[in-house]
Amino acid sequence: MHHAQQDFSIFLARREAVSTDFINGKPEGLLKLSTHHDSTTIFPPSEARIRGADQVNDANENGARSFGKGSTAHFEIFQRGSSGDIGFWTGIQQKNTFMKGHPEPVAMGLRTTEVFRREGSQWVLVHRHADTMTQAKS
């Protein structure tokens, strides 16, 4: 595997771990992996359109507060790649989450696309689009 592709694969494993931390109420890792420049967006399952680093990072910090400890997740990656300073993955983010105020875990699958940019020597998240699957399809 080419060094740049290996570097991106290592980053994606870290991104997946940060996602699990997020759904356990800990946004710090995601905030560190997110850009702090204004050219960033998120399109969350709520159908909001959030633009700008401060707004995106505030939304992520607030979003983590809705989750409780014990949540699990993994990425089912359909495609991924990187070239130069741009990388992406697309697939399904499978989760069993404990939502605050709900005693039982909530299972969900999110169709997800994330885009990353290299800033200096680090990959950072610059765009996320995730929507809830209404039913499992291949």
Side-chain angles (χ1 to χ4, degrees), residues 12 44 46 53-54 62 67 70 87 98 106 113 119 122-123 137-138:
L12 279 182
S46 67
D54 290 342
N62 291 331
F67 297 104
F98 284 92
V106 177
T113 300
E119 291 182 359
Q122 303 296 315
W123 287 105
K137 292 185 178 184
S138 302

Side-chain angles (χ1 to χ4, degrees), residues 67-83:
F67 297 104
K69 293 181 180 178
S71 299
T72 60
H74 74 276
F75 292 168
E76 183 181 344
I77 296 175
F78 295 163
Q79 295 183 64
R80 69 177 174 189
S82 65
S83 180

Side-chain angles (χ1 to χ4, degrees), residues 39-77:
S39 57
T40 186
T41 50
I42 352 177
F43 302 152
S46 67
E47 298 184 16
R49 291 174 286 187
I50 304 166
R51 288 189 252 180
D54 290 342
Q55 293 82 358
V56 165
N57 290 324
D58 286 348
N60 283 332
E61 192 166 6
N62 291 331
R65 291 185 187 132
S66 63
F67 297 104
K69 293 181 180 178
S71 299
T72 60
H74 74 276
F75 292 168
E76 183 181 344
I77 296 175

